[in-house]
């Protein structure tokens, strides 16, 4: 990855180059930018976009910043990277924590952005998600992580759709992938988890967002239930909401063709028509 000193730290990013409109991808908690390379980057590149993906602070080779950081820091990292690259009218795409980051960036610097797409968007967390995050933070402080099979099964139930798990071959593949990691939560990952404990409810603030936004919820998402994504669309003026069926928190990996279609269609829509009135929820099948 390319590295640059931005906002007081080293930030790692990748840039496909090209002359097309710029799209910047922002990943969720604990995940590196390379996750986008499985489905989204190839599709966006084939559609003619210049695609930039970044490792958020906390995820090497971006600085881990183990002492902790804030949402403002992560937003300023995105803004700083846009400034560093000299981009104009950037479209942001983020998932989970990345959805919070791109939404907050839309609030902070609308002048830099063309539009925003937030997958598994949320303006707050409910008690169950808060408790899960507290538990993950506590696990980060244990010397020994849970056994691989147990950890993989919990992740499958938390992040995947029952439709995926009903396919036993797919379920085994996902379990193998989840179990491959050693289960240890790094200091940078822990610092990302800690952010969600202090963010609070941002629904009122999001009423001031002026950037065109598409909110994508995943119908079977247990980590960020789609009702939380719909809440964001309900308060952001003019935001659109769509929901992908048979998709969990990793819906962009479980249903990549549908996720990519929605993303690319929205990005290619003339900007004037992207600023439309709020639409009713649509479940994609």
């Amino acid at each position: 990855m390319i590295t640059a000193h931005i906002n007081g730290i080293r930030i790692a990013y990748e840039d496909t180059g090209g002359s097309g409109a710029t799209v910047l991808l922002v990943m969720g908690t604990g995940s590196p930018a390379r996750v986008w390379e499985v489905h989204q980057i190839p599709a966006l590149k084939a559609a003619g976009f210049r695609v930039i993906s970044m490792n958020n602070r906390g995820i090497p080779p971006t600085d881990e910043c183990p002492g902790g950081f804030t949402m403002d820091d992560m937003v300023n990292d995105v803004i700083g990277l846009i400034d560093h690259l000299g981009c104009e009218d950037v479209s942001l795409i983020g998932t989970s924590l990345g959805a919070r980051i791109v939404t907050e960036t839309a609030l902070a610097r609308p002048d830099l952005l063309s539009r925003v797409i937030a997958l598994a968007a949320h303006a707050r967390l409910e008690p169950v998600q808060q408790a899960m995050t507290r538990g993950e933070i506590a696990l980060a402080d244990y010397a020994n992580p849970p056994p691989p099979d147990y950890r993989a099964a919990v992740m499958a139930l938390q992040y995947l759709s029952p439709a995926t798990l009903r396919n036993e071959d797919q379920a085994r593949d996902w379990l193998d992938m989840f179990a491959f990691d050693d289960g240890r939560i790094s200091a940078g990952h822990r610092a990302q988890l800690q952010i969600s404990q202090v963010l609070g409810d941002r629904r009122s603030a999001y009423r001031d967002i002026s950037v065109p936004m598409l909110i994508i919820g995943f119908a079977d998402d247990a980590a960020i239930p789609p009702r939380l994504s719909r809440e964001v669309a309900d308060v952001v003026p003019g935001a659109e909401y769509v929901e992908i069926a048979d998709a969990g928190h990793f819906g962009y990996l479980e249903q990549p063709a549908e996720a990519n279609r929605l993303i690319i269609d929205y990005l290619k829509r003339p900007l004037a028509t992207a600023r439309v009135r709020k639409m009713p929820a649509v479940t994609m099948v």
Side-chain angles (χ1 to χ4, degrees):
M1 302 183 79
I2 306 165
T3 59
H5 286 276
I6 295 168
N7 198 22
I9 66 167
R10 181 182 59 176
I11 291 180
Y13 67 95
E14 292 189 350
D15 185 352
T16 64
S19 58
T22 300
V23 178
L24 174 56
L25 304 174
V26 185
M27 187 39 68
T29 304
S31 297
R34 67 175 179 269
V35 176
W36 294 116
E37 296 175 4
V38 180
H39 296 293
Q40 280 67 52
I41 289 177
L44 287 164
K45 186 176 179 181
F49 294 98
R50 175 192 181 187
V51 187
I52 300 166
S53 57
M54 63 184 291
N55 273 22
N56 293 319
R57 61 171 62 205
I59 306 299
T62 293
D63 287 343
E64 281 198 86
C65 306
F69 42 85
T70 67
M71 176 57 69
D72 285 346
D73 290 327
M74 302 189 84
V75 169
N76 287 328
D77 292 344
V78 172
I79 294 169
L81 180 57
I82 292 172
D83 288 341
H84 172 77
L85 295 171
C87 301
E88 296 180 352
D89 295 326
V90 176
S91 293
L92 294 182
I93 302 174
T95 186
S96 194
L97 174 63
R100 284 295 286 263
I101 295 170
V102 301
T103 304
E104 294 285 343
T105 305
L107 185 63
R109 289 296 304 274
D111 56 301
L112 294 177
L113 308 179
S114 173
R115 63 198 86 193
V116 169
I117 300 176
L119 290 69
H122 53 291
R124 64 187 182 96
L125 294 178
E126 295 175 325
V128 170
Q129 293 92 45
Q130 293 173 348
M132 178 65 75
T133 303
R134 289 195 301 271
E136 290 174 340
I137 292 170
L139 282 174
D141 298 329
Y142 280 98
N144 297 313
D149 282 346
Y150 176 78
R151 184 178 68 253
V154 170
M155 292 180 69
L157 293 171
Q158 184 179 9
Y159 296 131
L160 301 176
S161 167
T164 298
L165 299 180
R166 282 195 294 269
N167 183 315
E168 294 190 5
D169 289 336
Q170 288 187 16
R172 290 190 190 97
D173 288 342
W174 279 101
L175 288 168
D176 287 345
M177 184 181 69
F178 290 148
F180 183 77
D181 185 87
D182 68 6
R184 299 180 191 277
I185 297 174
S186 69
H189 183 176
R190 186 188 189 284
Q192 289 187 352
L193 289 167
Q194 192 66 47
I195 286 179
S196 67
Q197 298 301 295
V198 296
L199 285 178
D201 188 338
R202 296 286 287 165
R203 282 176 290 180
S204 178
Y206 290 171
R207 296 183 187 278
D208 292 330
I209 291 175
S210 59
V211 180
M213 287 190 67
L214 173 65
I215 311 298
I216 299 178
F218 301 122
D220 299 327
D221 192 342
I224 302 293
R227 60 182 174 272
L228 296 181
S229 297
R230 181 60 187 268
E231 284 183 350
V232 178
D234 286 343
V235 298
V236 174
E240 297 181 43
Y241 176 80
V242 292
E243 193 170 292
I244 300 179
D246 295 333
H249 195 62
F250 288 169
Y252 58 98
L253 301 175
E254 293 177 278
Q255 301 290 347
E258 185 62 14
N260 291 345
R261 183 188 70 80
L262 291 169
I263 289 168
I264 292 169
D265 284 355
Y266 189 73
L267 292 177
K268 287 198 167 185
R269 186 189 305 174
L271 191 58
T273 59
R275 297 179 182 272
V276 297
R277 297 181 63 84
K278 212 181 304 313
M279 295 176 63
V282 177
T283 298
M284 311 308 296
V285 296

